[in-house]
Amino acid sequence: MKFPPRLALLLAAAVLVACTPRTSGSTSTDDDTSGTLRVWLFQEVDNGPKEKVVAAVVDAFERAHDDTEVAVEYIPVETRAQRVRAAFSDPGSAPDVIEYGNTDTAGHVRDGGLLDVTREFTAWPESADTDPTARRSVTVDGKVYGAPFFVGVRALYYRTDVFDELGLEPPRSQAELITAARTIRKARPDLYGLAVGGAYTYGALPFVWAHGGDLATGGDGTYSAAIDSAAARRGIEAYTSLFGDTNCPAATCAGWTGNDTVTAFAAGRAGMAVGGDFSHAAVEAGDVPYGVVPLPGVRPGSIAPAFAGGNNIGVLRSTSHRTLAVDLMKRLASKRTQGELFDAMGFLPTYSDVRQEAAAREPFVEPFVETLAAGTRFVPASPAWARIDASQVLPTMFQEIVSGKKGVAEAAGDAARKMDDAFGAAG
């Protein structure tokens, strides 16, 4: 059959639209108010307590929304990048709501996977109490792409028995920290003074930040490496001075990660270690007497800026249940849920008031709350950070220095060039 030219054009356009697949950058115009919402959350080492808290949230959500079901899948953290990228490319099999690492925000936004929820987040009364660093972790170019779920920071764990034996006080500056580490190593050669790791990026960065250095300068997606600045080099020198026979031998410690340093401390092989609030259970299981204080800064009595790690909850752009998905996001990231997750898992809430309540119930939290209150730092909000992190740019720099292959200036300069290449490639 031959159609009139105008009708033929309209039919051709309809066929083209029908046959064009939805891309990862597309946003569904559907807003279904019933059906099944798919949720991906991270699998924890002991996932039972998390599942119990989430199940209560899901049950309340389903009671509030007729003809709605929620299917939760717990995915391994190690394979999250591949799973999420695949979901962005195939909206038909993608979840509606996901948990994601806060350093992944910019990359997920660049890939077109996350929904802009600025309007809903800003109008949500609870968001007013979100701490500024947590809010920055869901913000790219002034737009909000999720809700903070929990935050993690690091502080200084120390052996109270060793400090008592040697007449030491918890260090109040980084100079005192380095001196204490060497004193412990000299008096107790069976111990590392302060367990450090050449592959422990987030344990090293507080030294850089405390000396006035930074990873990069810029903003709004445009960054330039600053790890080779004079201030950053002073922090790098302070951290790398801790590798050697007087504290933590480079042959052993150059390849250590953060988990390795905490394991050494919990096993009774170190006098001190930089560990997170999330390390508390591991240290408790190690059966060593310990205390925790904020990691000191350069000036006596100051606190070194810590990296504010943690996870967020976001909605995928491809969802066909926008209103329901945003509601579920807010319920999962609510004050009530974060309080329950702290009780169940030890996850630090992202709300200042809920954190204070948690600290009142559990004294071990107080040094971490102090650290957060003193001011935390974050990585550049650029999709380049994922490449920089995966390429081990900073661990390579530290390891080249502690092995003696390069001096601080040369290694930092090489790291800065690699970072600038990544920033440039990200656009």
Side-chain angles (χ1 to χ4, degrees):
M1 180 183 292
K2 186 174 181 180
F3 298 102
R6 177 176 173 78
L7 179 57
L9 286 172
L10 290 173
L11 288 172
V15 170
L16 180 61
V17 170
C19 297
T20 301
R22 184 186 296 169
T23 66
S24 62
S26 65
T27 302
S28 173
T29 57
D30 298 331
D31 193 8
D32 297 338
T33 57
S34 63
T36 300
L37 274 74
R38 299 181 61 206
V39 180
W40 287 359
L41 300 177
F42 290 157
Q43 177 88 28
E44 309 296 336
V45 175
D46 180 6
N47 209 52
K50 182 177 182 179
E51 291 179 25
K52 185 176 180 180
V53 172
V54 171
V57 175
V58 168
D59 183 58
F61 176 86
E62 290 178 340
R63 289 200 308 270
H65 299 285
D66 294 336
D67 302 319
T68 300
E69 295 183 352
V70 177
V72 180
E73 180 180 355
Y74 291 90
I75 66 173
V77 176
E78 296 79 12
T79 58
R80 72 187 190 280
Q82 300 94 305
R83 290 288 301 272
V84 172
R85 278 198 300 268
F88 291 169
S89 300
D90 183 14
S93 63
D96 299 275
V97 178
I98 63 169
E99 176 180 357
Y100 65 92
N102 63 10
T103 59
D104 296 332
T105 306
H108 290 347
V109 171
R110 176 204 59 189
D111 293 340
L114 292 178
L115 183 69
D116 176 357
V117 294
T118 306
R119 174 173 51 83
E120 295 94 336
F121 184 84
T122 304
W124 183 28
E126 292 193 5
S127 71
D129 294 323
T130 300
D131 73 50
T133 302
R135 181 165 183 140
R136 284 199 297 274
S137 79
V138 293
T139 304
V140 177
D141 296 336
K143 297 179 180 179
V144 178
Y145 291 92
F149 192 36
F150 67 85
V151 66
V153 291
R154 293 164 176 82
L156 182 69
Y157 287 79
Y158 67 97
R159 288 271 299 271
T160 53
D161 57 338
V162 173
F163 271 63
D164 289 344
E165 174 190 334
L166 301 179
L168 296 172
E169 295 291 332
R172 300 182 65 252
S173 69
Q174 288 193 358
E176 290 182 10
L177 174 67
I178 293 170
T179 297
R182 291 173 176 167
T183 298
I184 293 169
R185 178 69 172 175
K186 183 176 181 180
R188 293 282 304 272
D190 58 315
L191 298 177
Y192 307 112
L194 171 66
V196 289
Y200 190 9
T201 298
Y202 298 116
L205 286 178
F207 289 80
V208 174
W209 289 325
H211 282 80
D214 210 340
L215 288 167
T217 57
D220 294 329
T222 302
Y223 290 91
S224 177
I227 195 65
D228 59 341
S229 69
R233 291 200 304 270
R234 288 194 295 271
I236 294 168
E237 287 173 359
Y239 185 69
T240 55
S241 73
L242 289 160
F243 292 81
D245 292 338
T246 59
N247 177 55
C248 203
T252 300
C253 306
W256 275 5
T257 64
N259 284 344
D260 294 323
T261 65
V262 171
T263 297
F265 180 83
R269 294 187 286 119
M272 297 180 285
V274 178
D277 54 276
F278 42 83
S279 306
H280 177 253
V283 174
E284 280 283 303
D287 197 29
V288 293
Y290 72 94
V292 185
V293 294
L295 183 67
V298 174
R299 178 175 51 81
S302 65
I303 298 175
F307 167 70
N311 289 351
N312 302 327
I313 298 290
V315 175
L316 265 65
R317 291 183 66 192
S318 57
T319 183
S320 60
H321 300 89
R322 177 182 177 125
T323 300
L324 290 173
V326 170
D327 180 42
L328 183 55
M329 174 195 78
K330 290 191 290 186
R331 289 171 182 261
L332 286 168
S334 69
K335 289 186 177 185
R336 178 175 179 174
T337 303
Q338 289 196 21
E340 292 174 351
L341 280 170
F342 170 78
D343 292 336
M345 304 290 294
F347 292 166
L348 271 183
T350 64
Y351 302 99
S352 303
D353 54 341
V354 182
R355 264 204 309 266
Q356 291 296 339
E357 294 169 6
R361 296 197 307 274
E362 296 286 355
F364 84 86
V365 175
E366 185 57 38
F368 302 101
V369 173
E370 285 183 52
T371 299
L372 283 162
T376 53
R377 304 291 285 273
F378 198 59
V379 298
S382 166
W385 181 254
R387 173 180 167 186
I388 292 167
D389 197 29
S391 300
Q392 300 282 294
V393 172
L394 296 181
T396 298
M397 175 189 72
F398 291 124
Q399 290 164 351
E400 288 174 339
I401 294 167
V402 302
S403 68
K405 291 181 180 178
K406 294 179 182 178
V408 171
E410 182 183 3
D414 288 346
R417 282 188 287 274
K418 293 174 184 176
M419 291 175 69
D420 281 334
D421 286 346
F423 289 136

